[in-house]
Amino acid sequence: MSSARIVYCNCAYAQVVPKAVKTEVLRGLVESGVDFEAVPDLCEMSARGDPALQRIAGADGGVRIAACFPRAVRWLFHAAQAPLPAERVEIFNMRTDAAAETIEGLLDGSGAPAGGEER
């Protein structure tokens, strides 16, 4: 999934992802020079049915998302009428994973289970 769209969720409203992890992951993405999309909060976007979720879910080449629990992220997209496909999606859990592990997965996909299953 080298051409996958990378999405970084800042989890601005829920405050459930450790700030240090969010900061380190964002810094790693910026320093890498890769194209990525930073969104303020997937939960809020889902609640208001933001059409950007449909665009993200339909990304050619798949999508890698840094947010929280994969099952929660999948539900947020589903609730917004933008279900993520079963394949070509990798979701990295910044609530439980180390920043370095998340950055590595986002940048090259190593260590991510197929289909974005629980990590």
Side-chain angles (χ1 to χ4, degrees):
M1 264 189 5
S2 61
S3 64
R5 174 188 301 267
I6 296 174
V7 177
Y8 165 85
C9 177
N10 193 41
C11 300
Y13 299 108
Q15 304 291 321
V16 295
V17 174
K19 186 175 181 171
V21 173
K22 291 191 305 185
T23 300
E24 183 69 18
V25 170
L26 182 57
R27 185 179 64 74
L29 287 171
V30 170
E31 289 178 356
S32 76
V34 301
D35 289 335
F36 70 96
E37 182 173 354
V39 299
D41 195 284
L42 288 172
C43 294
E44 186 266 340
M45 291 173 75
S46 176
R48 62 183 171 83
D50 192 318
L53 295 178
Q54 291 180 342
R55 179 180 43 76
I56 292 168
D60 290 338
V63 63
R64 293 185 183 133
I65 302 171
C68 65
F69 294 107
R71 67 184 178 275
V73 173
R74 285 190 175 280
W75 183 87
L76 291 170
F77 277 82
H78 180 77
Q81 306 301 309
L84 290 167
E87 296 83 29
R88 302 180 302 109
V89 175
E90 296 171 297
I91 302 169
F92 299 90
N93 187 347
M94 294 190 294
R95 286 181 79 166
T96 60
D97 296 343
E101 180 182 352
T102 300
I103 294 165
E104 180 181 339
L106 289 169
L107 296 180
D108 69 13
S110 66
E117 296 155 358
E118 297 292 326
R119 293 184 44 78

